[in-house]
């Protein structure tokens, strides 16, 4: 679309004038006028730029500031000796300063604190930048409010250690304390940060001088503490960036007219520029905006414009990758514009020097202080993603690998060999684009990652066989075989991983459809056979055997349909193709992750739970408590804990129609106590039971269905028992049968969560996908179980017995440390356990560590149990049900593995 200020008819006229031959006389004057008009002309679908943008960098600084404030208060609260020593050292050093210097510094800083912001505001108003001043005033007002709230909190509710670190007796009045946060300094810092004073070198120098003078004078005169000054600066800085992110910063992204003026500045004579639409995602959001520019006297150009806003796009995703992946597998999470410009230019020149086909960079320039542009010769063509399948020939694949080999011969890693980075021009020549994220002097691992990425990219279009064959024909079998350890999802681009996940869901859906269709056809055939042989129900053993034979035939048909529908994923297909060529190729995946996301989440959740428990335990004297413990109840808790494994075996076998040895099933449940320590509770048990049933002779699909049916019935029983015991708990203290307000509030909360999940498309799709994958095949399996009522009774009875064992174990643990005056009802214990167990299953920590302890302790205290009894009772319960069974579980796991049962 046309930029503002240029009428469409005028723009058309200028284009026509530009296309006419060069003439003399008056026509030359018209051409000069046209030349000026062309600066404002940008064609194409370029949306109007918003006046304000919410920068991710401002949000990042806000979060860093909040974290710094929390760390500072934590140090002040728990390192009292260190803070006191620091204050004494500073007071001793500043006490030797001359009085004249102190007075001059205090006077100068007091005046400058007021004059500097006013001077900067006048400068901005003269330059018609009043919006920045408004942002600064708003940030100052908010910072002042935060300082008042902080002062009130420190004076009324903060721990004594924090109060001592942030305040000291006032020199003018020994009975009064100094302000924890300076009510005038924090707003000034917020104002100066919000208006962008720190980005201007001269004003920044003045700002730091004023801040240091004020801090020095306040410290020397005894009106503040070091921690108070640091907290003041952090509050002002944090509030400023929070304000900027909330209201948005002025948009400095260059417009089309800025681009045209920049091109003329570097010697080009542009006629028009058309914006090219390129899909953005967090992984490649910093690739810049691209324009197709036509010139008066030369071939067209491809221009890429990168600004600070685009540099910040995808920052959090890249920061997360840098945190979880090893250094060789990541790149800098946030580069400056100068670094981005230099890196792309260097890679463009290096790629062409290596003999690869890459866009030729012919000019670079800055577009003001917040943007840069890179000018390339126009290449044209279509991306690999836009080509039809029949257009991707073997010659095209061969040419693509030739370009990669040229890069790798000079140790250049592309780092993003996906479909939209591979361009095919009109003559069929392959051109590699998007070189900015690449790396020169790359190591072997990065080069192998490029090979594996391109194998998958091409395999998604032409299949694993053609992809591997084309790679081997160019790189050789050894080079292709060496990339197998890198052939893992974490080493691929984000878009490729998303495509692989989508294909996996489609494969799973096809397998489910095949199983359901086979089951339907088998049942239809059985009904037709039964209709032809109508008569009384079977009575003798021969007829019963015939019925069982028909059921087995139906299962075989389902298994055969599942085998026929089962497909290998693309990564597995590529591995098999490479192994056919090099059977001795290494297949063990390389360790690319520095820390797994689940491990990081588990560590954080465990740390929070440990902190909560430690704060609860610091006020409890365990010596007298253990000495007065009832060891008979401890022994009872041990027996209930041991009985839970028998109940768990019953709850599993009740949903397995096949014959599975009961003692070995009990041993598998004991082994599960070891698995829970190394995996979340909701994951480890499911995987172990599925593996155990497969080893016991149950087919894989049926084993998964049996465990899924057990989980589904367990979930239903859990909810029903939680509601039932919650209802009983609410009626214990009232004669009427009205439920407690807590139960009503819980039900309303669940209802609201269900409504939120069902109303948000993303959440609804996420939940439906997870539930469908977890309980796929459960319904046909339940039909088999329903034909054997004794199995169903065993399964449901085992679930009820399992819950009863845990509830009785927790109740016995409470009675071991309490007495009659501190006892609570079984219904209350059951409600607390069921709630804690549900949270433990949802928590990402192994065995629900941290989450279960915190929930059980808080729940027991909430139902009336003293903290001195609740904390040790929960510790004893978790010791018996989680920690002590680890050694027997490891022995059982080892024994079952040795026997081939796991």
């Amino acid at each position: 679309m046309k930029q503002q200020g240029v009428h469409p008819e005028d723009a058309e006229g200028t284009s026509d004038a530009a296309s006419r031959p060069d003439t003399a006389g008056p026509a030359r004057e018209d051409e000069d006028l046209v030349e000026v008009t062309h600066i404002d002309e940008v064609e194409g679908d370029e949306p109007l730029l918003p006046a304000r943008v919410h920068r991710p960098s401002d949000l990042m600084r806000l979060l860093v500031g909040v974290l710094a404030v929390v760390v500072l208060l934590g140090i002040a609260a728990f390192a009292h000796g260190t803070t006191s020593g620091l204050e004494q050292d500073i007071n001793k050093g500043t006490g030797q300063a001359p009085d004249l210097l102190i007075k001059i510094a205090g006077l100068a800083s007091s005046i400058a604190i007021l004059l500097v912001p006013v001077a900067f505001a006048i400068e901005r108003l003269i330059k018609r930048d009043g919006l920045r001043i408004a942002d600064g005033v708003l940030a100052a007002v908010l910072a002042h409010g935060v300082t008042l709230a902080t002062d009130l909190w420190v004076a009324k509710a903060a721990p004594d250690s924090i109060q001592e670190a942030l305040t000291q007796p006032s020199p003018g009045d020994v009975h009064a304390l100094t302000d924890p946060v300076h009510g005038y300094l924090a707003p000034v810092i917020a104002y100066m940060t919000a208006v962008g004073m720190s980005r201007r070198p001269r004003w920044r120098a003045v700002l730091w001088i004023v801040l240091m003078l004020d801090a020095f004078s306040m410290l020397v005169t005894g009106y503040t503490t070091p921690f108070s000054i640091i907290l003041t600066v952090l509050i002002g800085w944090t509030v400023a960036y929070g304000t900027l992110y909330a209201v948005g910063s002025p948009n400095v992204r260059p417009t089309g007219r800025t681009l045209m003026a920049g091109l003329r500045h570097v010697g080009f004579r542009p006629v028009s520029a058309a914006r090219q639409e390129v899909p953005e995602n967090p992984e490649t959001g910093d690739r810049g905006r691209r324009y197709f520019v036509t010139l008066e006297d030369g071939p067209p150009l491809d221009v890429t414009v990168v600004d600070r806003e685009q540099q910040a796009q995808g920052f959090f995703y890249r920061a997360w990758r840098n945190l979880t992946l090893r250094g060789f597998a990541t790149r800098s999470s946030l580069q400056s514009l100068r670094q981005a410009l230099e890196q792309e230019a260097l890679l463009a020149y290096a790629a062409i020097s290596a003999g690869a086909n890459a866009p030729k960079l012919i000019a670079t320039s800055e577009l003001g202080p917040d943007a840069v542009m890179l000018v390339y010769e126009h290449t044209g063509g279509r991306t690999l993603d836009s080509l039809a399948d029949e257009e991707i020939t073997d010659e095209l694949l061969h040419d693509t690998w030739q370009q990669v080999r040229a890069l790798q011969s000079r140790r250049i890693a592309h780092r993003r060999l996906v479909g939209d980075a591979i361009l095919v021009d009109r003559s069929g020549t392959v051109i590699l684009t998007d070189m900015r994220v690449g790396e020169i002097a790359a190591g072997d691992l990065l080069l192998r990652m490029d090979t594996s990425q391109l194998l998958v990219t091409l395999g998604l279009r032409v299949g694993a066989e053609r992809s591997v064959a084309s790679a081997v024909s160019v790189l050789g079998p050894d080079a292709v075989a060496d990339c197998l350890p890198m052939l893992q999802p974490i080493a691929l681009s984000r878009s490729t991983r998303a495509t692989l996940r989508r294909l996996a869901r489609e494969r799973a859906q096809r397998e489910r459809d095949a199983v359901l269709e086979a089951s339907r056809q088998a049942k239809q055939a059985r009904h037709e056979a039964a209709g032809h042989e109508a008569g009384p129900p079977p009575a003798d053993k021969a007829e019963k055997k015939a019925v069982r034979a028909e059921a087995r035939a139906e299962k075989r048909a389902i298994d055969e349909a599942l085998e026929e529908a089962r497909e290998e994923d693309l990564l597995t297909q590529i591995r098999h193709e490479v192994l056919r060529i090099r059977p001795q190729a290494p297949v063990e995946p390389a360790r690319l992750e520095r820390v797994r996301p689940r491990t990081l989440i588990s560590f954080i959740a465990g740390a929070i739970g440990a902190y909560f428990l430690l704060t609860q335990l610091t006020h409890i004297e365990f010596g007298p408590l253990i000495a007065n413990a009832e060891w008979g109840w401890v022994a009872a808790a041990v027996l209930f804990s041991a009985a839970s494994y028998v109940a768990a075996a019953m709850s599993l076998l009740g949903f397995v129609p096949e014959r599975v040895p009961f003692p070995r099933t009990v041993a598998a449940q004991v082994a599960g106590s070891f698995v829970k320590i190394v995996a979340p509770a909701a994951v480890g048990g499911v995987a172990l039971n599925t593996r155990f049933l497969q080893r016991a002779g149950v087919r894989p699909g049926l084993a998964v269905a049996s465990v899924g049916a057990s989980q589904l019935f367990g979930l239903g029983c859990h909810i029903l028992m939680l509601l039932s015991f919650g209802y009983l708990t609410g009626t214990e203290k009232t004669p009427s049968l009205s439920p407690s307000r807590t139960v009503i509030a819980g039900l309303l909360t669940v209802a609201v969560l269900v409504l939120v999940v069902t109303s948000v498309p993303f959440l609804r799709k996420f939940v439906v996908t997870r539930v469908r994958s977890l309980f796929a095949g459960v319904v046909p399996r339940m039909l088999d179980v329903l034909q054997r009522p004794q199995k169903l009774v065993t399964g449901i009875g085992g679930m009820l017995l399992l819950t009863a064992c845990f509830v009785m174990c927790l109740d016995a643990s409470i009675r071991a440390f309490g007495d009659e005056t501190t006892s609570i009802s079984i219904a209350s214990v059951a409600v607390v356990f069921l709630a804690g167990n549900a949270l433990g299953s949802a928590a990402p920590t192994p065995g629900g560590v941290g989450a279960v302890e915190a929930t059980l302790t808080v729940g027991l205290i909430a139902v009336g149990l003293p903290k001195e009894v609740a904390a040790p009772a929960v510790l004893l319960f978790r010791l018996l049900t989680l920690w002590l069974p680890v050694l027997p579980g490891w022995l059982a796991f080892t024994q079952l593995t040795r026997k081939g049962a796991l």
Side-chain angles (χ1 to χ4, degrees):
M1 70 180 214
K2 309 297 180 183
Q3 293 289 324
Q4 294 179 356
V6 181
H7 195 275
E9 296 178 359
D10 297 336
E12 292 177 3
T14 57
S15 299
D16 294 338
S19 63
R20 290 195 298 267
D22 196 3
T23 57
R28 182 74 239 176
E29 296 178 1
D30 296 340
E31 192 174 281
D32 292 339
L33 180 61
V34 168
E35 183 176 309
V36 175
T37 310
H38 283 161
I39 297 178
D40 297 335
E41 183 179 352
V42 177
E43 298 178 351
D45 186 15
E46 183 176 35
L48 292 176
L49 300 179
R52 287 180 173 268
V53 291
H54 301 277
R55 304 183 187 278
S57 57
D58 292 336
L59 177 59
M60 178 192 67
R61 293 186 176 98
L62 168 64
L63 297 177
V64 170
V66 172
L67 179 61
V69 170
V70 173
V71 171
L72 179 69
L73 295 178
I75 294 175
F78 298 105
H80 178 64
T82 303
T83 58
S84 300
L86 179 62
E87 292 179 8
Q88 293 175 5
D89 294 339
I90 292 177
N91 292 333
K92 182 178 179 180
T94 56
Q96 300 176 0
D99 293 339
L100 179 61
L101 178 60
I102 296 174
K103 292 180 181 179
I104 294 175
L107 179 62
S109 62
S110 300
I111 296 175
I113 282 292
L114 298 177
L115 291 183
V116 171
V118 175
F120 187 80
I122 293 174
E123 185 209 21
R124 289 291 92 196
L125 290 175
I126 292 175
K127 295 184 178 181
R128 299 181 180 181
D129 195 9
L131 287 178
R132 290 186 182 271
I133 304 302
D135 295 341
V137 172
L138 177 60
V141 172
L142 295 176
H144 184 66
V146 174
T147 57
L148 293 179
T150 305
D151 288 343
L152 182 62
W153 173 72
V154 172
K156 301 295 184 181
D160 295 339
S161 56
I162 293 180
Q163 190 178 82
E164 293 177 5
L166 298 177
T167 61
Q168 64 181 14
S170 177
D173 186 0
V174 295
H175 299 290
L177 297 176
T178 59
D179 293 334
V181 182
H182 301 290
Y184 68 91
L185 185 58
V188 170
I189 294 174
Y191 168 84
M192 293 188 294
T193 304
V195 298
M197 186 183 297
S198 60
R199 291 195 293 269
R200 291 165 172 80
R202 295 181 179 178
W203 289 102
R204 183 173 61 227
V206 174
L207 169 64
W208 280 109
I209 292 173
V210 169
L211 290 178
M212 288 189 292
L213 282 176
D214 185 76
F216 175 77
S217 61
M218 295 292 290
L219 281 174
V220 172
T221 54
Y223 282 98
T224 188
T225 66
F227 278 84
S228 176
I229 291 179
I230 298 174
L231 182 61
T232 300
V233 174
L234 288 177
I235 287 179
W237 190 73
T238 304
V239 171
Y241 285 111
T243 304
L244 290 178
Y245 185 74
V247 303
S249 301
N251 194 351
V252 295
R253 175 174 290 186
T255 60
R257 66 179 62 182
T258 307
L259 168 65
M260 303 291 277
L263 289 172
R264 293 184 177 275
H265 182 71
V266 294
F268 297 100
R269 302 179 59 145
V271 175
S272 63
R275 171 77 180 274
Q276 298 178 355
E277 293 297 330
V278 178
E280 296 182 350
N281 59 68
E283 190 177 31
T284 61
D286 61 346
R287 289 192 299 169
R289 287 172 292 129
R290 300 180 179 182
Y291 294 86
F292 173 75
V293 179
T294 57
L295 302 178
E296 293 182 5
D297 51 358
L301 305 173
D302 290 330
V303 182
T304 300
V305 178
V306 182
D307 54 48
R308 296 188 186 278
E309 180 66 21
Q310 289 172 318
Q311 281 292 100
Q313 288 185 11
F315 168 79
F316 293 106
Y317 171 75
R318 295 193 298 271
W320 174 255
R321 296 274 291 182
N322 287 338
L323 176 65
T324 56
L325 297 184
R326 297 182 182 274
F328 59 79
T330 60
R331 64 183 180 95
S332 176
S333 58
L334 185 61
Q335 294 177 314
S336 66
L337 287 174
R338 171 62 62 178
Q339 290 173 330
L341 179 68
E342 293 174 349
Q343 181 179 3
E344 184 162 356
L346 176 61
L347 285 165
Y349 294 139
I352 294 177
S353 177
N357 295 329
K360 184 179 180 181
L361 182 67
I362 57 178
T364 60
S365 177
E366 293 184 350
L367 295 179
D370 297 306
V372 296
M373 72 173 179
L374 299 100
V375 183
Y376 294 92
E377 289 184 351
H378 178 64
T379 54
R382 294 180 294 166
T383 64
L384 183 68
D385 289 340
S386 62
L387 295 178
D389 292 340
E390 59 273 10
E391 295 181 272
I392 305 178
T393 62
D394 292 339
E395 291 78 11
L396 180 62
L397 299 179
H398 186 272
D399 194 10
T400 303
W401 284 110
Q402 288 282 9
Q403 307 310 313
V404 174
R405 186 178 68 173
L407 293 180
Q408 295 190 354
S409 66
R410 299 294 179 87
R411 313 297 296 181
I412 301 174
H414 189 282
R415 304 297 304 273
R416 195 179 170 274
L417 289 170
V418 295
D420 60 357
I422 302 173
L423 198 67
V424 182
D425 65 9
R426 294 180 180 87
S427 63
T429 302
V430 175
I431 302 172
L432 300 181
T433 63
D434 291 339
M435 295 290 295
R436 180 185 306 168
V437 298
E439 188 169 328
I440 62 172
D444 291 337
L445 290 176
L446 288 181
L447 300 180
R448 289 155 63 188
M449 288 174 67
D450 267 3
T451 304
S452 62
Q453 172 65 62
L454 188 55
L455 279 173
V456 177
T457 299
L458 298 179
L460 289 172
R461 297 303 311 274
V462 301
E465 183 177 358
R466 288 182 63 191
S467 177
V468 173
S470 61
V472 171
S473 65
V474 177
L475 303 181
D478 293 333
V480 177
D482 288 341
C483 80
L484 286 187
M486 300 294 149
L487 201 63
Q488 47 183 308
I490 195 65
L492 305 176
S493 68
R494 193 177 192 182
S495 58
T496 304
R497 296 199 303 270
T499 303
L500 292 177
R501 286 194 296 267
R502 176 179 58 81
L503 294 177
R505 290 193 295 268
E506 293 175 357
R507 287 197 308 273
Q509 183 61 43
R510 287 194 295 268
E511 292 178 3
R512 286 192 292 268
D513 294 342
V515 169
L516 294 177
E517 178 62 22
S519 177
R520 186 189 64 80
Q521 292 180 358
K523 290 179 180 179
Q524 182 178 0
R526 186 170 58 185
H527 290 326
E528 291 176 356
H532 291 300
E533 299 177 1
D540 56 3
K541 295 182 179 181
E543 293 179 346
K544 291 181 179 179
K545 288 182 180 180
V547 172
R548 287 196 293 268
E550 291 177 356
R552 287 194 295 269
E554 179 182 353
K555 293 178 182 178
R556 283 195 300 270
I558 293 175
D559 293 341
E560 292 174 357
L562 184 60
E563 289 295 332
E564 293 178 359
R566 183 173 288 113
E567 305 173 31
E568 291 182 338
D569 62 278
L570 179 61
L571 300 185
T572 303
Q573 294 177 23
I574 293 176
R575 290 191 190 95
H576 289 170
E577 291 295 330
V578 176
L579 290 175
R580 288 193 184 98
I581 302 171
R582 282 289 184 269
Q584 70 278 13
V587 294
E588 184 68 22
R591 178 68 184 276
L592 301 179
E593 291 178 300
R594 179 184 291 113
V595 57
R596 297 181 183 275
R598 186 179 297 278
T599 303
L600 185 62
I601 297 174
S602 300
F603 175 78
I604 296 174
I608 295 174
Y611 172 78
F612 175 81
L613 289 179
L614 290 177
T615 56
Q616 295 291 326
L617 299 176
T618 51
H619 304 289
I620 300 175
E621 297 181 1
F622 284 95
L625 194 65
I626 295 176
N628 298 327
E630 296 288 340
W631 292 102
W633 285 111
V634 174
V638 172
L639 294 177
F640 286 124
S641 177
S644 65
Y645 296 102
V646 178
M650 294 172 56
S651 65
L652 175 63
L653 294 182
F655 297 92
V656 182
E658 293 81 3
R659 294 183 60 84
V660 179
F662 185 78
R664 183 166 289 186
T665 306
V666 175
Q669 305 313 303
V670 176
S673 61
F674 166 70
V675 177
K676 285 193 300 184
I677 297 299
V678 297
V683 177
V686 172
L688 183 136
N689 285 329
T690 303
R691 177 71 171 175
F692 170 73
L693 293 179
Q694 292 178 7
R695 288 292 187 176
V698 182
R699 294 186 178 274
L702 300 180
V704 173
S706 295
V707 176
S710 176
Q711 294 287 317
L712 181 61
F713 262 81
L715 177 63
C717 291
H718 194 98
I719 295 174
L720 291 176
M721 286 188 290
L722 182 60
L723 296 177
S724 301
F725 284 114
Y727 186 88
L728 293 177
T729 303
T731 60
E732 284 178 349
K733 298 181 181 180
T734 58
S736 61
L737 293 178
S738 60
S740 64
R741 295 182 178 180
T742 303
V743 175
I744 295 177
L747 292 176
L748 291 177
T749 303
V750 172
V752 170
L753 290 176
V754 172
L755 289 176
V756 170
V757 171
T758 54
S759 60
V760 179
F762 170 76
L763 294 177
R764 181 173 63 250
K765 182 179 179 180
F766 177 83
V767 172
V768 169
T769 302
R770 294 303 184 273
V771 171
R772 182 182 299 171
S773 61
L774 181 62
F775 299 114
V778 169
V779 175
R781 192 61 164 170
M782 288 307 306
L783 295 178
D784 293 338
V785 174
L786 290 176
Q787 296 177 4
R788 303 184 179 184
Q790 69 276 13
K791 281 284 186 179
L792 188 61
V793 171
T794 302
I796 297 178
M799 292 177 183
L800 298 177
L801 181 60
L802 179 62
T803 302
C805 288
F806 281 126
V807 171
M808 296 304 297
C809 181
L810 180 57
D811 182 71
S813 301
I814 295 172
R815 295 178 185 275
F817 295 102
D819 52 28
E820 295 181 357
T821 60
T822 59
S823 62
I824 56 177
S825 66
I826 290 292
S828 300
V829 176
V831 170
V832 172
F833 165 75
L834 292 170
N837 189 47
L839 184 59
S841 299
T845 56
V849 173
V852 174
E853 288 84 354
T855 305
L856 293 180
T857 304
V858 172
L860 292 177
I861 295 175
V863 296
L865 196 66
K867 179 172 62 177
E868 293 76 11
V869 178
V874 170
L875 289 181
L876 176 61
F877 172 75
R878 293 291 282 172
L879 183 68
L880 296 178
T881 58
L882 180 65
W883 297 111
L884 286 182
V886 170
L887 180 58
W890 176 76
L891 295 175
F893 185 85
T894 304
Q895 184 69 14
L896 291 175
T897 303
R898 185 180 298 114
K899 292 182 178 181
L902 282 180

